[in-house]
Amino acid sequence: QVQLVESGGGLVQAGGSLRLSCAASLRTDRNYVMAWFRQAPGKEREFVSAISWGGRTANYADSVKGRFTISRDSAKNTVYLQINSLKAEDTAVYYCAAARIARLATNVDGYDYWGQGTKVTVSS
């Protein structure tokens, strides 16, 4: 049983900040890579960030590097995405994903489990 539930989305002005959360229920006998993807209307789902099961390694898409920060709280079984300096192009539904993989995949097919998504809207 693996369940992912995102929260924290909302309407924010350009230049503002937002923190997304992903509450994860994962199997105890496996290690999981956790990631964030996003999908804007009319566009394909794209990679945002990923973090190793131990939280020691992270990867970011070039479009968000320097503005987004992924983190993991093992005690709370929660993954976060801190979003700063929001731009209009950041508007999308953000999805939490998990995979039983050793490397930080950037493709949708690399992940096995998905949450329902949380919407982020950036206004100007």
Side-chain angles (χ1 to χ4, degrees):
Q1 178 179 312
V2 176
Q3 295 182 338
L4 306 174
V5 181
E6 304 96 333
S7 63
L11 175 63
V12 184
Q13 291 186 349
S17 299
L18 202 63
R19 189 175 79 159
L20 308 183
S21 298
C22 174
S25 177
L26 306 172
R27 290 183 58 177
T28 59
D29 60 341
R30 296 292 186 96
N31 294 326
Y32 294 85
V33 169
M34 303 296 298
W36 288 95
F37 286 74
R38 67 185 182 184
Q39 186 167 24
K43 299 182 64 177
E44 294 185 345
R45 192 168 300 186
E46 65 175 354
F47 172 78
V48 174
S49 183
I51 189 168
S52 64
W53 69 270
R56 300 178 65 181
T57 305
N59 191 26
Y60 298 90
D62 289 339
S63 60
V64 306
K65 193 173 299 181
R67 299 188 298 118
F68 290 21
T69 302
I70 190 171
S71 60
R72 191 170 190 168
D73 187 336
S74 59
K76 297 181 179 180
N77 295 321
T78 302
V79 179
Y80 303 96
L81 185 68
Q82 178 67 42
I83 306 175
N84 297 325
S85 302
L86 278 160
K87 303 176 180 179
E89 52 264 41
D90 295 323
T91 295
V93 176
Y94 284 71
Y95 296 91
C96 182
R100 301 186 300 274
I101 54 177
R103 298 184 178 183
L104 305 182
T106 59
N107 58 305
V108 171
D109 292 341
Y111 292 85
D112 305 302
Y113 309 101
W114 297 85
Q116 296 299 309
T118 184
K119 187 176 182 179
V120 173
T121 302
V122 182
S123 65
S124 59

